[in-house]
Amino acid sequence: MKFYLEDFNNMLPVARIPDEDLFNAMQHEIEMKFNLVRRLIGQSLYDQLSDLDVRVSDFNDDNDIAVELAKAVKRFVGTAAFHDILPQVDLVLTSTGFGVVSNQNVAPASVERVERLRQQLHEASLNYLDYMLDYARHFEIFKESEGWRLYLNTFFWNHRQCPMLGNPNGTRDYLDSLRPAIAEAEASVRILISPEFFLELLNAERTASATSIQEMAIDFVRKAVAAVVTKSPMAKTMARTLLSFLDEQLEHFPTYANSTAYQSNHFKPHENDKDDPCFIFA
């Protein structure tokens, strides 16, 4: 893929300068980020996007997912590359050490403002990574990639799921900080609804192929997991709500209906009757 100066200026107006020096200085970081994307989405999908030659500012009247994916890739590359190079854009190496480029027409920004900008770029790049994964999961060839294996192995893979975990403004960093707790809670739900059915729902989520009824089940799974992660007093209620929904829609979930988990969830102990030849004590 090619990253144009036009893309850079449309995405990052704060970086506009009278010439292309900054853009040219970023080429190494841009190439490194493209290499990262190539690993995350796979070479085949990357090549498919490269053939489109999309600009960030292009309109997508047909809502083509490949076009949106290409634009998300460029936004991720631009923000991540600029984040990485930002601390050194005004530094020069002299015989006596590093110095700061001086411009009598521009006052230097405070350290706090620069760090705030870097944080904004970092968060933006993480969010664009999520959008990239969201679009990529619509493509079958994405399943061969590192990104599919590393990021889409959980129901909590996108910053838009952070509000369920108590942080309406959370990013991937927040999700990663909760990853052990999420994994433990998902393991509990996996046992509750059976490993086979859990994987069935997860694969539907990973491939963007969930039916509307599966999407509802996935939402209940997320709520049950989130209640455990956040130590909500409603955790047991959320688990019961999930099971009640599955029971109500059982005809849509044969994998769960035929599982040992379903049998366990509906096991009724023997009740002694006066006409029984013997009584069972348990």
Side-chain angles (χ1 to χ4, degrees):
M1 297 183 71
K2 187 172 182 180
F3 194 83
Y4 298 97
L5 178 61
E6 173 190 350
D7 295 323
F8 187 60
N9 287 336
N10 278 323
M11 290 172 48
L12 302 162
V14 69
R16 287 181 181 173
I17 52 177
D19 53 44
E20 301 179 12
D21 288 349
L22 176 58
F23 180 69
N24 292 333
M26 286 178 57
Q27 291 308 304
H28 176 67
E29 281 74 16
I30 288 173
E31 184 59 31
M32 289 181 63
K33 298 308 176 187
F34 273 132
N35 287 338
L36 173 59
V37 170
R38 187 181 288 109
R39 293 202 314 272
L40 290 180
I41 68 174
Q43 185 67 52
S44 298
L45 184 52
Y46 182 88
D47 290 341
Q48 183 177 330
L49 299 179
S50 298
D51 293 339
L52 296 176
D53 195 30
V54 171
R55 266 72 165 177
V56 168
S57 59
D58 286 350
F59 289 104
N60 184 16
D61 295 333
D62 297 328
N63 294 318
D64 189 324
I65 293 177
V67 171
E68 291 304 314
L69 174 55
K71 291 166 72 172
V73 166
K74 286 197 169 187
R75 290 187 174 106
F76 167 74
V77 167
T79 52
F82 191 42
H83 169 272
D84 288 355
I85 199 176
L86 187 60
Q88 53 184 306
V89 292
D90 61 348
L91 294 180
V92 292
L93 181 61
T94 70
S95 58
T96 58
F98 283 101
V100 179
V101 176
S102 176
N103 186 330
Q104 61 181 357
N105 297 318
V106 181
S110 67
V111 173
E112 290 77 13
R113 291 189 65 181
V114 174
E115 283 305 310
R116 189 160 59 246
L117 175 59
R118 290 198 75 219
Q119 182 62 28
Q120 291 171 350
L121 290 168
H122 174 66
E123 292 177 359
S125 68
L126 293 179
N127 290 345
Y128 288 136
L129 172 61
D130 285 347
Y131 287 120
M132 188 171 69
L133 295 171
D134 194 7
Y135 292 124
R137 66 195 179 110
H138 289 79
F139 296 84
E140 182 69 20
I141 53 176
F142 180 53
K143 293 170 65 175
E144 304 169 5
S145 71
E146 183 178 324
W148 195 82
R149 294 189 300 272
L150 291 179
Y151 290 104
L152 297 182
N153 56 8
T154 171
F155 286 106
F156 288 87
W157 57 272
N158 192 297
H159 71 278
R160 285 172 289 183
Q161 289 136 16
C162 287
M164 277 190 174
L165 298 168
N167 187 343
N169 300 311
T171 66
R172 176 165 293 281
D173 284 341
Y174 181 70
L175 287 179
D176 289 344
S177 71
L178 295 177
R179 194 59 61 199
I182 291 173
E184 184 177 354
E186 286 187 333
S188 298
V189 173
R190 183 184 293 109
I191 294 172
L192 180 68
I193 65 175
S194 85
E196 299 83 5
F197 182 55
F198 184 92
L199 183 59
E200 179 181 299
L201 291 179
L202 182 59
N203 281 335
E205 172 71 8
R206 299 171 86 186
T207 56
S209 60
T211 63
S212 58
I213 200 72
Q214 283 179 319
E215 288 178 349
M216 294 175 68
I218 290 169
D219 185 61
F220 280 116
V221 166
R222 284 201 181 106
K223 288 176 179 176
V225 170
V228 174
V229 172
T230 59
K231 296 180 172 58
S232 168
M234 297 291 291
K236 290 184 178 179
T237 300
M238 289 294 98
R240 287 195 295 268
T241 302
L242 167 61
L243 293 179
S244 295
F245 171 77
L246 298 181
D247 287 343
E248 292 169 3
Q249 305 294 334
L250 197 60
E251 69 274 14
H252 297 288
F253 305 123
T255 302
Y256 173 64
N258 295 319
S259 69
T260 55
Y262 174 79
Q263 296 175 16
S264 176
N265 292 333
H266 293 81
F267 173 77
K268 292 183 178 180
H270 178 79
E271 295 182 3
N272 291 308
D273 187 87
K274 65 178 181 179
D275 296 325
D276 285 344
C278 64
F279 284 90
I280 298 174
F281 297 93

